[in-house]
């Protein structure tokens, strides 16, 4: 149901998306400039201003990112079940603004962060009060991200009517602008804002994204009167729970041989989901649709009298769709560990590398090396779409060229190459730091290698190329393979996977740090290259696991022929 003005015509509803687009896109742009600008350089902020050890700062960032992503599941549930996307987005935007304001205050007020390290005096860590205030800001940012990330894309698409051609074009245009503004915001944040933070002032560098987030909130609320807001209809998770409960209650039943005549076949007339055929996978769930003498059916509409004991085969197949994507989700979670660790430790590599650009007196900020992965994505995507994809279509005879699972497999393979290249470059950086170091020393770290920081570009470019294959395909995979009424949950599924990667990365770093000296504070005294090779070995195992899962997987609405099934999507 759409909230429209009294007496509004269908044409006015179509036009509403165009009118709302500047506010939604503006909100997106400023929100990304704000959140990315605040979070992209937090690792350097925690180590240089709060004087935390590298391993401690890395774990805090991993846990922070993981919690932000994991919280999207709760945000999607509250949005779909109780409050709607507009209310969740408004509340979350204000929370993000307050969180960034807290971070700015920690930099601007001297009593809220440790004193600067003196030449003679050792560095002093933060007090309990300072850390509590800082973590309070992180908590507000977590609340903001948990609401914004699962709802922003869907809310923008809500402004257009998908039943009309102009509405579908508007949705397509919105998605294009969304990804463009996201890339733009990340690149500005990782260059301009990071440079201001690292080279001019942390107070100013954090105040800029805070102002951006304030503008984001302002734009969002200014467009309130023209937004189309979808009324929550309840969470689809209740249907999933009913299937699990009913299957458990009937766990002792034997499935009849003629399933087509014995299973409860009912489709709600107002359902948004496409009709799904019966599949043999997860047969134990099919027991939830077996009609017994105890099961009653309403004579009015043909629905089950007790949905917690009898579910339709449609409900069962929807749950099977969710269960089938879980093994793929696990592979994606393990894959992203390589991305997390490469983006974390490339900063520490850059700190102990010659980052001077040519013969001019300009040093590339360490966090700015992450922008290379974004550039790699933005360069590769149009090349793939315009050059490689037409050739693949002719070669394979399929509209999509190659399947989504094949794209993900290529990305996982590239992550292995990325980790190997990262290890080789780190070994070279460390060797030069030990033999031909630069004169200056990093604060609290060690000798700076004479190796140019530009040698870090290949590993970040490969990391971006790997992401272009895996993460974008994984997001699209969840969107297509989950039932239509669970697509906000599907978006959360993607972010929950990123959360699992952050937690797994933190656990892996902690174990390696406690059992070896590979991740020493001074990289020259450690063996970060060994750590990279360890992740490469993990990704090799993950690739083998993924290939088995991909062979087993059955696409939604089809049989065992994966390629032909996907072409129907």
């Amino acid at each position: 149901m759409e909230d429209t003005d009294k007496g509004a015509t269908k044409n006015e509803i179509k036009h509403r998306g165009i009118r709302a687009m500047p506010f939604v896109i503006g909100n997106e742009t400023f929100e990304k400039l704000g959140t990315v600008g605040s979070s992209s350089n937090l690792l350097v902020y925690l180590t240089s201003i709060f004087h935390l050890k590298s391993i401690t700062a890395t774990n805090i960032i991993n846990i922070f990112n993981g919690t932000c992503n994991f919280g999207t599941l709760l945000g999607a549930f509250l949005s779909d079940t109780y409050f709607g996307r507009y209310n969740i987005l408004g509340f979350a935007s204000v929370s993000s603004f307050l969180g960034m304001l807290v971070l700015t205050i920690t930099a601007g007020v001297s009593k809220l962060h440790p004193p600067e390290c003196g030449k003679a005096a050792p560095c002093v860590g933060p007090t309990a009060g300072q850390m509590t205030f800082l973590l309070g800001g992180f908590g507000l940012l977590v609340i903001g991200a948990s609401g914004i990330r699962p709802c922003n894309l869907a809310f923008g698409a809500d402004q257009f009517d998908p039943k009309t051609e102009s509405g579908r074009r508007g949705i397509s245009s919105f998605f294009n602008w969304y990804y463009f503004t996201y890339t733009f915001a990340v690149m500005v944040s990782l260059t301009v804002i990071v440079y201001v933070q690292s080279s001019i002032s942390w107070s100013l560098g954090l105040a800029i994204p805070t102002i951006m987030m304030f503008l984001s909130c302002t734009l969002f609320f200014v467009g309130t009167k023209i937004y189309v807001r979808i009324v929550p209809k309840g969470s689809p998770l209740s249907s999933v729970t009913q299937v699990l409960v009913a299957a458990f209650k009937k766990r002792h039943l034997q499935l009849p041989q003629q399933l087509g005549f014995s299973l409860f076949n009912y489709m709600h007339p107002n359902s948004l989901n496409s009709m799904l055929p019966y599949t043999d996978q997860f047969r134990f769930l099919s027991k939830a649709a077996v009609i017994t003498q105890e099961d009653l059916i309403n004579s009015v509409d043909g629905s089950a009298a007790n949905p917690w004991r009898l579910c339709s085969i449609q409900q069962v197949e929807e749950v099977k769709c969710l269960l089938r994507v879980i093994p793929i989700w696990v592979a994606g979670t393990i894959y992203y560990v390589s991305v997390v660790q490469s983006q974390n430790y490339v900063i520490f590599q850059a700190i102990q590398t010659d980052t001077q650009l040519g013969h001019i007196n300009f040093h590339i900020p360490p966090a700015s090396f992450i922008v290379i992965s974004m550039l790699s994505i933005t360069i590769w995507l149009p090349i793939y779409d315009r050059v490689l994809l037409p050739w693949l279509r002719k070669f394979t005879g399929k509209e999509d060229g190659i399947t989504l699972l094949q794209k993900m497999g290529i990305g996982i393979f590239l992550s292995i190459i990325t980790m190997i290249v990262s290890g080789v470059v780190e070994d070279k950086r460390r060797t030069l730091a030990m033999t031909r170091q630069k004169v200056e020393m990093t604060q609290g770290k060690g000798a700076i290698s004479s190796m140019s920081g530009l040698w870090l570009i290949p590993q970040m470019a490969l990391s971006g190329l790997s992401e272009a294959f895996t993460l974008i395909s994984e997001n699209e995979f969840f969107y297509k393979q989950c039932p239509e009424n669970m697509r906000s949950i599907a978006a959360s599924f993607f972010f929950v996977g990123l959360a699992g990667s952050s937690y797994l990365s933190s656990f892996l770093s902690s174990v390696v740090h406690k059992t070896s000296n590979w991740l020493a504070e001074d990289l020259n005294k450690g063996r970060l290259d060994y750590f990279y090779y360890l992740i490469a070995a993990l990704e090799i195992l993950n690739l083998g696991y993924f290939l088995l899962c991909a062979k087993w997987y059955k696409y939604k609405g089809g049989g065992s022929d994966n390629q032909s099934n996907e072409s129907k999507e």
Side-chain angles (χ1 to χ4, degrees):
M1 178 177 178
E2 295 180 345
D3 292 339
T4 59
D5 296 334
K6 199 170 184 180
T9 65
K10 194 170 183 179
N11 290 333
E12 290 174 325
I13 296 174
K14 291 180 185 177
H15 185 63
R16 184 166 292 187
I18 302 299
R19 292 172 58 197
M21 200 167 178
F23 298 102
V24 177
I25 292 295
N27 167 261
E28 270 304 309
T29 304
F30 287 121
E31 188 271 331
K32 287 296 182 290
L33 281 170
T35 54
V36 176
S38 294
S39 61
S40 58
N41 211 21
L42 282 179
L43 197 60
V44 177
Y45 183 65
L46 293 180
T47 54
S48 62
I49 301 300
F50 274 76
H51 307 154
L52 297 179
K53 293 183 178 180
S54 298
I55 188 66
T56 303
T58 300
N59 286 339
I60 289 176
I61 296 301
N62 284 337
I63 293 172
F64 167 71
N65 290 331
T67 307
C68 284
N69 289 322
F70 192 77
T72 58
L73 191 60
L74 177 62
F77 173 78
L78 293 176
S79 171
D80 288 347
T81 309
Y82 300 109
F83 304 108
R85 296 187 183 104
Y86 171 81
N87 292 327
I88 291 294
L89 277 172
F91 178 79
S93 296
V94 173
S95 180
S96 288
F97 165 70
L98 294 176
M100 285 184 280
L101 184 62
V102 169
L103 286 184
T104 304
I105 293 174
T106 62
V109 179
S110 59
K111 292 184 178 180
L112 293 178
H113 62 258
E116 293 185 12
C117 299
K119 294 183 178 180
C123 292
V124 179
T127 64
Q130 290 170 342
M131 280 302 297
T132 300
F133 192 78
L134 176 69
L135 294 178
F138 282 1
L140 290 168
L141 289 173
V142 166
I143 294 174
S146 300
I148 292 173
R149 293 179 182 181
C151 298
N152 53 7
L153 268 174
F155 180 74
D158 287 344
Q159 308 310 308
F160 302 90
D161 185 359
K163 298 179 181 179
T164 65
E165 184 179 352
S166 61
R168 289 191 292 270
R169 287 200 303 265
I171 293 174
S172 178
S173 178
F174 169 73
F175 273 82
N176 291 336
W177 276 100
Y178 173 85
Y179 286 111
F180 173 79
T181 55
Y182 173 79
T183 304
F184 169 78
V186 170
M187 293 179 64
V188 170
S189 298
L190 292 177
T191 52
V192 178
I193 295 179
V194 166
Y195 176 77
V196 173
Q197 292 171 347
S198 302
S199 304
I200 299 177
S201 168
W202 276 102
S203 299
L204 179 61
L206 289 173
I208 292 174
T210 302
I211 295 172
M212 294 295 156
M213 192 63 220
F214 175 78
L215 293 175
S216 173
C217 293
T218 303
L219 273 175
F220 179 78
F221 289 115
V222 164
T224 295
K225 291 185 178 180
I226 63 173
Y227 291 147
V228 172
R229 288 180 269 175
I230 305 299
V231 177
K233 296 182 180 179
S235 174
L237 293 179
S238 60
S239 177
V240 175
T241 307
Q242 287 172 353
V243 171
L244 298 177
V245 171
F248 178 78
K249 288 180 178 179
K250 297 180 178 180
R251 63 190 181 278
H252 298 302
L253 290 179
Q254 293 293 328
L255 283 173
Q257 293 184 353
Q258 299 296 328
L259 293 177
F261 300 99
S262 306
L263 299 180
F264 181 48
N265 190 6
Y266 172 78
M267 186 77 172
H268 195 282
N270 295 327
S271 176
L272 298 175
N273 297 338
S274 56
M275 194 72 173
L276 299 176
Y278 175 80
T279 59
D280 289 330
Q281 290 179 330
F282 306 111
R283 286 173 59 88
F284 65 93
L285 290 177
S286 300
K287 295 180 180 181
V290 174
I291 304 175
T292 66
Q293 294 180 349
E294 301 176 17
D295 296 321
L296 300 177
I297 298 175
N298 294 320
S299 58
V300 178
D301 59 358
S303 63
N306 184 2
W308 294 95
R309 180 169 177 83
L310 178 63
C311 299
S312 68
I313 191 61
Q314 173 71 16
Q315 289 177 276
V316 172
E317 289 302 322
E318 289 172 3
V319 175
K320 288 182 180 180
C321 287
L322 291 180
L323 292 180
R324 274 194 289 264
V325 302
I326 289 178
I328 305 298
W329 172 81
V330 171
T333 299
I334 298 174
Y335 153 77
Y336 200 66
V337 170
S338 65
V339 179
V340 172
Q341 298 292 15
S342 64
Q343 291 185 354
N344 281 342
Y345 283 100
V346 75
I347 295 176
F348 295 128
Q349 286 180 283
I351 290 175
Q352 290 189 249
T353 304
D354 182 10
T355 58
Q356 183 172 341
L357 192 60
H359 299 289
I360 61 177
N361 189 25
F362 176 81
H363 291 265
I364 304 172
S368 293
F369 280 92
I370 301 176
V371 80
I372 301 300
S373 64
M374 297 302 303
L375 280 172
S376 179
I377 294 174
T378 54
I379 292 173
W380 168 253
L381 287 179
I383 293 176
Y384 175 81
D385 187 62
R386 299 297 180 182
V387 180
L388 189 58
L389 183 57
W391 178 84
L392 286 173
R393 285 171 177 166
K394 292 180 181 179
F395 182 77
T396 64
K398 300 183 182 301
E399 182 65 25
D400 294 331
I402 57 177
T403 67
L404 293 174
L405 291 178
Q406 287 172 339
K407 291 179 185 178
M408 291 174 63
I410 293 173
I412 295 174
F413 174 76
L414 287 175
S415 72
I416 299 172
I417 305 300
T418 301
M419 290 296 99
I420 294 175
V421 171
S422 299
V424 171
V425 171
E426 169 57 20
D427 180 55
K428 182 68 174 178
R429 187 211 62 78
R430 181 177 178 273
T431 300
L432 290 177
M434 304 292 286
T435 58
R436 288 191 294 167
Q437 67 186 51
K438 296 196 71 177
V439 176
E440 67 265 29
M441 304 279 285
T442 56
Q443 187 183 79
K445 301 286 184 180
I448 296 178
S449 173
S450 59
M451 187 187 81
S452 171
L454 298 180
W455 282 103
L456 299 174
I457 291 178
Q459 67 192 62
M460 296 312 299
L462 283 170
S463 179
L465 188 61
S466 174
E467 287 186 73
F469 274 102
T470 302
L471 293 187
I472 295 175
S473 300
E474 185 182 14
N475 213 344
E476 184 179 354
F477 175 81
F478 290 147
Y479 181 83
K480 286 185 175 181
Q481 295 304 306
C482 288
E484 287 83 348
N485 68 331
M486 299 186 189
R487 281 173 173 169
S488 58
I489 301 296
S492 300
F493 217 52
F494 174 76
F495 286 109
V496 169
L498 301 187
S501 300
S502 296
Y503 290 135
L504 182 58
S505 297
S506 180
F507 172 77
L508 185 62
S509 298
S510 297
V511 171
V512 170
H513 181 70
K514 290 181 179 179
T515 57
S516 70
N517 68 336
W518 292 359
L519 302 178
E521 194 74 12
D522 179 3
L523 294 184
N524 300 331
K525 297 179 180 179
R527 293 307 304 252
L528 179 59
D529 51 335
Y530 291 174
F531 183 62
Y532 282 143
Y533 296 144
L534 174 66
I535 299 176
L538 176 66
E539 295 299 345
I540 290 174
L541 295 176
N542 187 42
L543 179 60
Y545 163 77
F546 173 80
L547 292 176
L548 292 176
C549 293
K551 185 176 181 180
W552 166 84
Y553 188 81
K554 292 183 178 181
Y555 284 93
K556 184 181 76 173
S560 59
D561 185 357
N562 289 356
Q563 300 235 10
S564 62
N565 294 332
E566 185 175 281
S567 64
K568 298 175 184 178
E569 293 294 333

